[in-house]
Amino acid sequence: MVTLRIDPFPPQDDLNVLWLEAWGNEGPKDFSGVLARSLAHIAAYDDDRLVGFVNVAWDGGAHAFILDTCVIPGMRRRGIAARMVVEATNVARARGASWLHVDFEPHLSSFYHSCGFRPTRSGLIKLR
């Protein structure tokens, strides 16, 4: 059974393995700076194996941001990502955020809509 943990600070190697498997490329070599600045992060574990992750970044005030939602391919379509996003929403609310934002690609619209997000207009500049 997959369990969720709030702010578990997984070992760097576990995060790197998850990132490579879930995203198909290498992520940050060191997640400690990212996690130290987060409002929260939620991890999904199958026994002791890290199989999913979502980060909740924030501006230090009213706005929090869902980032890096991922589940390893072999565990997808089991509701794990939705459970993590719902838990992240609850934790962000409990920790004082008033707004929760998420950016996503069009093919993920129905997923985020099912998690309670509503469409808004926004802007984006690619810096690199």
PDB file of all heavy atoms in Angstrom, residues 22-46:
ATOM      1  N   ALA A  22      10.826   9.179 -13.250  1.00  0.00           N
ATOM      2  CA  ALA A  22       9.557   9.867 -13.514  1.00  0.00           C
ATOM      3  C   ALA A  22       9.649  10.844 -14.681  1.00  0.00           C
ATOM      4  O   ALA A  22       8.718  10.947 -15.473  1.00  0.00           O
ATOM      5  CB  ALA A  22       9.096  10.603 -12.252  1.00  0.00           C
ATOM      6  N   TRP A  23      10.745  11.570 -14.777  1.00  0.00           N
ATOM      7  CA  TRP A  23      10.856  12.620 -15.795  1.00  0.00           C
ATOM      8  C   TRP A  23      11.692  12.197 -16.996  1.00  0.00           C
ATOM      9  O   TRP A  23      11.679  12.868 -18.022  1.00  0.00           O
ATOM     10  CB  TRP A  23      11.452  13.890 -15.190  1.00  0.00           C
ATOM     11  CG  TRP A  23      10.592  14.508 -14.135  1.00  0.00           C
ATOM     12  CD1 TRP A  23      10.765  14.417 -12.788  1.00  0.00           C
ATOM     13  CD2 TRP A  23       9.414  15.293 -14.318  1.00  0.00           C
ATOM     14  NE1 TRP A  23       9.772  15.107 -12.131  1.00  0.00           N
ATOM     15  CE2 TRP A  23       8.927  15.654 -13.049  1.00  0.00           C
ATOM     16  CE3 TRP A  23       8.711  15.724 -15.445  1.00  0.00           C
ATOM     17  CZ2 TRP A  23       7.785  16.416 -12.869  1.00  0.00           C
ATOM     18  CZ3 TRP A  23       7.575  16.493 -15.262  1.00  0.00           C
ATOM     19  CH2 TRP A  23       7.127  16.833 -13.988  1.00  0.00           C
ATOM     20  N   GLY A  24      12.483  11.149 -16.849  1.00  0.00           N
ATOM     21  CA  GLY A  24      13.311  10.697 -17.955  1.00  0.00           C
ATOM     22  C   GLY A  24      14.559  11.523 -18.160  1.00  0.00           C
ATOM     23  O   GLY A  24      15.231  11.393 -19.173  1.00  0.00           O
ATOM     24  N   ASN A  25      14.878  12.371 -17.193  1.00  0.00           N
ATOM     25  CA  ASN A  25      16.110  13.153 -17.261  1.00  0.00           C
ATOM     26  C   ASN A  25      16.585  13.456 -15.843  1.00  0.00           C
ATOM     27  O   ASN A  25      15.869  13.226 -14.881  1.00  0.00           O
ATOM     28  CB  ASN A  25      15.925  14.441 -18.072  1.00  0.00           C
ATOM     29  CG  ASN A  25      14.841  15.334 -17.503  1.00  0.00           C
ATOM     30  OD1 ASN A  25      14.689  15.474 -16.292  1.00  0.00           O
ATOM     31  ND2 ASN A  25      14.063  15.948 -18.372  1.00  0.00           N
ATOM     32  N   GLU A  26      17.775  13.951 -15.757  1.00  0.00           N
ATOM     33  CA  GLU A  26      18.321  14.267 -14.446  1.00  0.00           C
ATOM     34  C   GLU A  26      17.723  15.561 -13.927  1.00  0.00           C
ATOM     35  O   GLU A  26      17.546  16.519 -14.673  1.00  0.00           O
ATOM     36  CB  GLU A  26      19.842  14.391 -14.513  1.00  0.00           C
ATOM     37  CG  GLU A  26      20.526  13.061 -14.764  1.00  0.00           C
ATOM     38  CD  GLU A  26      22.032  13.163 -14.696  1.00  0.00           C
ATOM     39  OE1 GLU A  26      22.554  14.239 -14.360  1.00  0.00           O
ATOM     40  OE2 GLU A  26      22.681  12.149 -14.978  1.00  0.00           O
ATOM     41  N   GLY A  27      17.430  15.583 -12.668  1.00  0.00           N
ATOM     42  CA  GLY A  27      16.930  16.793 -12.018  1.00  0.00           C
ATOM     43  C   GLY A  27      18.071  17.489 -11.319  1.00  0.00           C
ATOM     44  O   GLY A  27      19.239  17.240 -11.617  1.00  0.00           O
ATOM     45  N   PRO A  28      17.717  18.340 -10.375  1.00  0.00           N
ATOM     46  CA  PRO A  28      18.766  18.999  -9.590  1.00  0.00           C
ATOM     47  C   PRO A  28      19.631  17.945  -8.900  1.00  0.00           C
ATOM     48  O   PRO A  28      19.118  16.934  -8.429  1.00  0.00           O
ATOM     49  CB  PRO A  28      17.983  19.811  -8.557  1.00  0.00           C
ATOM     50  CG  PRO A  28      16.599  19.905  -9.083  1.00  0.00           C
ATOM     51  CD  PRO A  28      16.382  18.706  -9.954  1.00  0.00           C
ATOM     52  N   LYS A  29      20.911  18.156  -8.872  1.00  0.00           N
ATOM     53  CA  LYS A  29      21.792  17.222  -8.181  1.00  0.00           C
ATOM     54  C   LYS A  29      21.608  17.320  -6.668  1.00  0.00           C
ATOM     55  O   LYS A  29      21.856  16.384  -5.947  1.00  0.00           O
ATOM     56  CB  LYS A  29      23.249  17.489  -8.541  1.00  0.00           C
ATOM     57  CG  LYS A  29      23.570  17.173  -9.978  1.00  0.00           C
ATOM     58  CD  LYS A  29      23.481  15.690 -10.226  1.00  0.00           C
ATOM     59  CE  LYS A  29      23.887  15.382 -11.644  1.00  0.00           C
ATOM     60  NZ  LYS A  29      23.446  14.084 -12.078  1.00  0.00           N
ATOM     61  N   ASP A  30      21.206  18.480  -6.214  1.00  0.00           N
ATOM     62  CA  ASP A  30      21.038  18.710  -4.783  1.00  0.00           C
ATOM     63  C   ASP A  30      19.690  19.364  -4.540  1.00  0.00           C
ATOM     64  O   ASP A  30      19.468  20.505  -4.920  1.00  0.00           O
ATOM     65  CB  ASP A  30      22.167  19.591  -4.258  1.00  0.00           C
ATOM     66  CG  ASP A  30      22.099  19.827  -2.769  1.00  0.00           C
ATOM     67  OD1 ASP A  30      21.225  19.239  -2.086  1.00  0.00           O
ATOM     68  OD2 ASP A  30      22.925  20.600  -2.267  1.00  0.00           O
ATOM     69  N   PHE A  31      18.776  18.639  -3.941  1.00  0.00           N
ATOM     70  CA  PHE A  31      17.431  19.135  -3.673  1.00  0.00           C
ATOM     71  C   PHE A  31      17.333  19.861  -2.340  1.00  0.00           C
ATOM     72  O   PHE A  31      16.289  20.406  -2.013  1.00  0.00           O
ATOM     73  CB  PHE A  31      16.431  17.972  -3.662  1.00  0.00           C
ATOM     74  CG  PHE A  31      16.130  17.397  -5.017  1.00  0.00           C
ATOM     75  CD1 PHE A  31      16.966  16.463  -5.583  1.00  0.00           C
ATOM     76  CD2 PHE A  31      14.997  17.799  -5.718  1.00  0.00           C
ATOM     77  CE1 PHE A  31      16.686  15.910  -6.828  1.00  0.00           C
ATOM     78  CE2 PHE A  31      14.708  17.260  -6.958  1.00  0.00           C
ATOM     79  CZ  PHE A  31      15.552  16.314  -7.511  1.00  0.00           C
ATOM     80  N   SER A  32      18.403  19.881  -1.547  1.00  0.00           N
ATOM     81  CA  SER A  32      18.310  20.433  -0.191  1.00  0.00           C
ATOM     82  C   SER A  32      17.902  21.905  -0.192  1.00  0.00           C
ATOM     83  O   SER A  32      17.105  22.319   0.650  1.00  0.00           O
ATOM     84  CB  SER A  32      19.613  20.229   0.573  1.00  0.00           C
ATOM     85  OG  SER A  32      20.688  20.887  -0.063  1.00  0.00           O
ATOM     86  N   GLY A  33      18.405  22.700  -1.110  1.00  0.00           N
ATOM     87  CA  GLY A  33      18.026  24.107  -1.183  1.00  0.00           C
ATOM     88  C   GLY A  33      16.572  24.296  -1.563  1.00  0.00           C
ATOM     89  O   GLY A  33      15.890  25.177  -1.034  1.00  0.00           O
ATOM     90  N   VAL A  34      16.088  23.462  -2.467  1.00  0.00           N
ATOM     91  CA  VAL A  34      14.686  23.529  -2.883  1.00  0.00           C
ATOM     92  C   VAL A  34      13.779  23.175  -1.706  1.00  0.00           C
ATOM     93  O   VAL A  34      12.842  23.904  -1.373  1.00  0.00           O
ATOM     94  CB  VAL A  34      14.421  22.561  -4.064  1.00  0.00           C
ATOM     95  CG1 VAL A  34      12.944  22.457  -4.363  1.00  0.00           C
ATOM     96  CG2 VAL A  34      15.192  23.012  -5.305  1.00  0.00           C
ATOM     97  N   LEU A  35      14.068  22.065  -1.052  1.00  0.00           N
ATOM     98  CA  LEU A  35      13.209  21.603   0.038  1.00  0.00           C
ATOM     99  C   LEU A  35      13.268  22.523   1.253  1.00  0.00           C
ATOM    100  O   LEU A  35      12.265  22.702   1.941  1.00  0.00           O
ATOM    101  CB  LEU A  35      13.576  20.172   0.424  1.00  0.00           C
ATOM    102  CG  LEU A  35      13.396  19.128  -0.675  1.00  0.00           C
ATOM    103  CD1 LEU A  35      13.763  17.745  -0.159  1.00  0.00           C
ATOM    104  CD2 LEU A  35      11.999  19.142  -1.257  1.00  0.00           C
ATOM    105  N   ALA A  36      14.419  23.125   1.496  1.00  0.00           N
ATOM    106  CA  ALA A  36      14.550  24.032   2.644  1.00  0.00           C
ATOM    107  C   ALA A  36      13.692  25.279   2.480  1.00  0.00           C
ATOM    108  O   ALA A  36      13.271  25.879   3.471  1.00  0.00           O
ATOM    109  CB  ALA A  36      16.014  24.418   2.835  1.00  0.00           C
ATOM    110  N   ARG A  37      13.406  25.661   1.245  1.00  0.00           N
ATOM    111  CA  ARG A  37      12.629  26.875   0.972  1.00  0.00           C
ATOM    112  C   ARG A  37      11.151  26.590   0.710  1.00  0.00           C
ATOM    113  O   ARG A  37      10.374  27.495   0.476  1.00  0.00           O
ATOM    114  CB  ARG A  37      13.220  27.602  -0.220  1.00  0.00           C
ATOM    115  CG  ARG A  37      14.575  28.205   0.059  1.00  0.00           C
ATOM    116  CD  ARG A  37      15.182  28.812  -1.206  1.00  0.00           C
ATOM    117  NE  ARG A  37      16.519  29.285  -0.982  1.00  0.00           N
ATOM    118  CZ  ARG A  37      17.614  28.541  -1.041  1.00  0.00           C
ATOM    119  NH1 ARG A  37      17.521  27.249  -1.295  1.00  0.00           N
ATOM    120  NH2 ARG A  37      18.802  29.062  -0.835  1.00  0.00           N
ATOM    121  N   SER A  38      10.774  25.329   0.727  1.00  0.00           N
ATOM    122  CA  SER A  38       9.393  24.952   0.431  1.00  0.00           C
ATOM    123  C   SER A  38       8.482  25.203   1.619  1.00  0.00           C
ATOM    124  O   SER A  38       8.906  25.109   2.773  1.00  0.00           O
ATOM    125  CB  SER A  38       9.323  23.461   0.087  1.00  0.00           C
ATOM    126  OG  SER A  38      10.039  23.198  -1.088  1.00  0.00           O
ATOM    127  N   LEU A  39       7.225  25.467   1.310  1.00  0.00           N
ATOM    128  CA  LEU A  39       6.206  25.495   2.355  1.00  0.00           C
ATOM    129  C   LEU A  39       5.970  24.067   2.841  1.00  0.00           C
ATOM    130  O   LEU A  39       5.775  23.815   4.027  1.00  0.00           O
ATOM    131  CB  LEU A  39       4.905  26.098   1.813  1.00  0.00           C
ATOM    132  CG  LEU A  39       3.722  26.161   2.765  1.00  0.00           C
ATOM    133  CD1 LEU A  39       4.052  27.046   3.976  1.00  0.00           C
ATOM    134  CD2 LEU A  39       2.491  26.696   2.047  1.00  0.00           C
ATOM    135  N   ALA A  40       6.034  23.120   1.911  1.00  0.00           N
ATOM    136  CA  ALA A  40       5.869  21.698   2.233  1.00  0.00           C
ATOM    137  C   ALA A  40       6.292  20.884   1.022  1.00  0.00           C
ATOM    138  O   ALA A  40       6.428  21.415  -0.078  1.00  0.00           O
ATOM    139  CB  ALA A  40       4.412  21.391   2.559  1.00  0.00           C
ATOM    140  N   HIS A  41       6.471  19.619   1.251  1.00  0.00           N
ATOM    141  CA  HIS A  41       6.598  18.665   0.152  1.00  0.00           C
ATOM    142  C   HIS A  41       5.971  17.361   0.624  1.00  0.00           C
ATOM    143  O   HIS A  41       5.970  17.038   1.807  1.00  0.00           O
ATOM    144  CB  HIS A  41       8.036  18.486  -0.341  1.00  0.00           C
ATOM    145  CG  HIS A  41       8.998  18.005   0.703  1.00  0.00           C
ATOM    146  ND1 HIS A  41       9.588  18.851   1.617  1.00  0.00           N
ATOM    147  CD2 HIS A  41       9.451  16.778   0.981  1.00  0.00           C
ATOM    148  CE1 HIS A  41      10.378  18.153   2.406  1.00  0.00           C
ATOM    149  NE2 HIS A  41      10.312  16.881   2.051  1.00  0.00           N
ATOM    150  N   ILE A  42       5.376  16.671  -0.327  1.00  0.00           N
ATOM    151  CA  ILE A  42       4.674  15.430  -0.053  1.00  0.00           C
ATOM    152  C   ILE A  42       5.366  14.335  -0.857  1.00  0.00           C
ATOM    153  O   ILE A  42       5.636  14.510  -2.048  1.00  0.00           O
ATOM    154  CB  ILE A  42       3.186  15.507  -0.478  1.00  0.00           C
ATOM    155  CG1 ILE A  42       2.505  16.784   0.037  1.00  0.00           C
ATOM    156  CG2 ILE A  42       2.449  14.232  -0.073  1.00  0.00           C
ATOM    157  CD1 ILE A  42       2.483  16.957   1.525  1.00  0.00           C
ATOM    158  N   ALA A  43       5.638  13.219  -0.202  1.00  0.00           N
ATOM    159  CA  ALA A  43       6.258  12.090  -0.893  1.00  0.00           C
ATOM    160  C   ALA A  43       5.372  10.864  -0.741  1.00  0.00           C
ATOM    161  O   ALA A  43       4.726  10.674   0.290  1.00  0.00           O
ATOM    162  CB  ALA A  43       7.644  11.819  -0.316  1.00  0.00           C
ATOM    163  N   ALA A  44       5.344  10.063  -1.780  1.00  0.00           N
ATOM    164  CA  ALA A  44       4.600   8.805  -1.772  1.00  0.00           C
ATOM    165  C   ALA A  44       5.601   7.664  -1.706  1.00  0.00           C
ATOM    166  O   ALA A  44       6.588   7.651  -2.446  1.00  0.00           O
ATOM    167  CB  ALA A  44       3.739   8.692  -3.027  1.00  0.00           C
ATOM    168  N   TYR A  45       5.313   6.721  -0.818  1.00  0.00           N
ATOM    169  CA  TYR A  45       6.197   5.577  -0.621  1.00  0.00           C
ATOM    170  C   TYR A  45       5.426   4.276  -0.790  1.00  0.00           C
ATOM    171  O   TYR A  45       4.327   4.129  -0.260  1.00  0.00           O
ATOM    172  CB  TYR A  45       6.805   5.593   0.785  1.00  0.00           C
ATOM    173  CG  TYR A  45       7.866   6.652   0.963  1.00  0.00           C
ATOM    174  CD1 TYR A  45       7.521   7.946   1.340  1.00  0.00           C
ATOM    175  CD2 TYR A  45       9.206   6.357   0.751  1.00  0.00           C
ATOM    176  CE1 TYR A  45       8.485   8.917   1.495  1.00  0.00           C
ATOM    177  CE2 TYR A  45      10.178   7.329   0.906  1.00  0.00           C
ATOM    178  CZ  TYR A  45       9.815   8.603   1.282  1.00  0.00           C
ATOM    179  OH  TYR A  45      10.778   9.567   1.430  1.00  0.00           O
ATOM    180  N   ASP A  46       6.031   3.357  -1.524  1.00  0.00           N
ATOM    181  CA  ASP A  46       5.558   1.979  -1.603  1.00  0.00           C
ATOM    182  C   ASP A  46       6.530   1.197  -0.728  1.00  0.00           C
ATOM    183  O   ASP A  46       7.671   0.977  -1.111  1.00  0.00           O
ATOM    184  CB  ASP A  46       5.579   1.491  -3.049  1.00  0.00           C
ATOM    185  CG  ASP A  46       5.004   0.106  -3.210  1.00  0.00           C
ATOM    186  OD1 ASP A  46       4.230  -0.331  -2.340  1.00  0.00           O
ATOM    187  OD2 ASP A  46       5.339  -0.547  -4.217  1.00  0.00           O
TER     188      ASP A  46
END
